[in-house]
Amino acid sequence: MNQRVLLAIALAIPILALIAVAGMKAQQRASGVEVVLPIEGFDPRDLLSGHYLTYRVDYGIPTSCGEIYETQADLCLEPTRTVYPHNQRPDDCRLFLRGYCDTNTGFSVENLNRFYIPEEHAAVLDSKVRDKQGSLVLAVDAQGNAVIKDLLINGKPWRDALTSE
């Protein structure tokens, strides 16, 4: 094969992979069931990652996972919020989050602990999240995967909450 063709293929593969990942996340955001969970937290600055809020998500359960530790777990959201070992939730569990249990933090879900924000709004949003005025809108798919759709401040999307002040 021609060296130019090989170069074009080598450049196209990572670009196509990024497009596929972005498309899958967009599909999940559009088709997932919306769940709103309160948050509280703080605002560290990372020069390499940009500006973001980090927080603790209140899953509406005790911080302990019972006897399920250091393992994957499922949090049933409907009909009752209960943590079960991975793939051992009851049949009547209609909506669940796939996560893990940790002895220190309890139940948590990867990739739900950061929300990137414009630097000019960081101080105001940080203050509101610290004052427990924040919540997340998640899109949860049938496999228990969740993506963040939006950050709410007092029930409004964060951009609307900032402009109404």
Side-chain angles (χ1 to χ4, degrees):
M1 251 193 215
N2 183 333
Q3 206 170 12
R4 284 187 171 175
V5 172
L6 290 175
L7 179 61
I9 291 171
L11 291 174
I13 289 173
I15 292 170
L16 292 174
L18 285 173
I19 291 170
V21 167
M24 288 177 2
K25 292 292 184 185
Q27 172 64 23
Q28 185 180 3
R29 287 175 59 125
S31 65
V33 175
E34 281 194 7
V35 175
V36 178
L37 297 173
I39 60 172
E40 61 181 48
F42 53 96
D43 178 23
R45 287 161 176 79
D46 182 343
L47 296 177
L48 298 176
S49 297
H51 212 92
Y52 57 89
L53 293 172
T54 62
Y55 39 78
R56 286 179 296 282
V57 179
D58 180 358
Y59 293 101
I61 58 171
T63 56
S64 168
C65 287
E67 296 180 11
I68 310 168
Y69 287 116
E70 308 302 328
T71 184
Q72 286 188 335
D74 296 337
L75 170 61
C76 185
L77 298 170
E78 292 177 5
T80 59
R81 290 195 183 190
T82 308
V83 178
Y84 297 96
H86 180 59
N87 288 333
Q88 294 182 21
R89 64 192 177 282
D91 291 336
D92 69 340
C93 181
R94 297 184 298 271
L95 182 63
F96 70 98
L97 285 174
R98 176 160 292 144
Y100 59 93
C101 283
D102 183 271
T103 53
N104 298 323
T105 59
F107 181 83
S108 61
V109 177
E110 271 189 76
N111 301 322
L112 294 186
N113 60 347
R114 285 185 179 184
F115 188 83
Y116 289 87
I117 54 173
E119 187 174 352
E120 64 268 16
H121 303 302
V124 173
L125 290 174
D126 173 45
S127 173
K128 292 186 180 303
V129 170
R130 285 178 193 249
D131 290 341
K132 298 182 180 181
Q133 297 175 26
S135 54
L136 291 179
V137 178
L138 306 178
V140 181
D141 68 13
Q143 290 77 39
N145 302 309
V147 292
I148 300 171
K149 287 184 79 168
D150 204 358
L151 170 68
L152 302 179
I153 302 296
N154 291 325
K156 296 182 190 174
W158 69 270
R159 291 182 192 273
D160 295 344
L162 292 177
T163 58
S164 66
E165 291 184 348

